[in-house]
Amino acid sequence: MSIRGVWQLKNLRLSFCKIGGSSRGIRELILAPIEQFKKDNPQLNVEIRNRNGHHPYVRGEYLTGYTKTISVRNKSVKEIMEVIKFLRSSNGGKSFLWTRVK
């Protein structure tokens, strides 16, 4: 999200395991779709990090100093892209979960 024309997300870190089954979606994402995302968002620093033996996650670091980490364990490429777009469109504040009162 941009506030007054300034994008709030400054760094995006994709962390995954090269051999783990829960990282399959993020490994497929790294092959092609993430390159197009980098071209579409030149203001964003995308870091791809290998962590063997750990489950995959996506971490966003904002100008406010706040970070959001979301696990993408056993998710498809489409679901991971939704998580990345969610982080990009967030403003760097704390996330709230809204529930309905029955």
Side-chain angles (χ1 to χ4, degrees), residues 49-62:
R49 189 170 165 190
N50 178 23
R51 293 185 67 207
N52 286 329
H54 292 85
H55 290 296
Y57 63 86
V58 178
R59 176 177 289 159
E61 298 173 6
Y62 296 88

Side-chain angles (χ1 to χ4, degrees), residues 11-15 45 47-49 57-61:
N11 293 325
L12 184 71
R13 179 183 297 167
L14 306 172
S15 179
N45 180 24
E47 177 185 344
I48 299 170
R49 189 170 165 190
Y57 63 86
V58 178
R59 176 177 289 159
E61 298 173 6

Side-chain angles (χ1 to χ4, degrees), residues 98-102:
W98 296 93
T99 58
R100 286 190 173 172
V101 178
K102 293 182 179 181

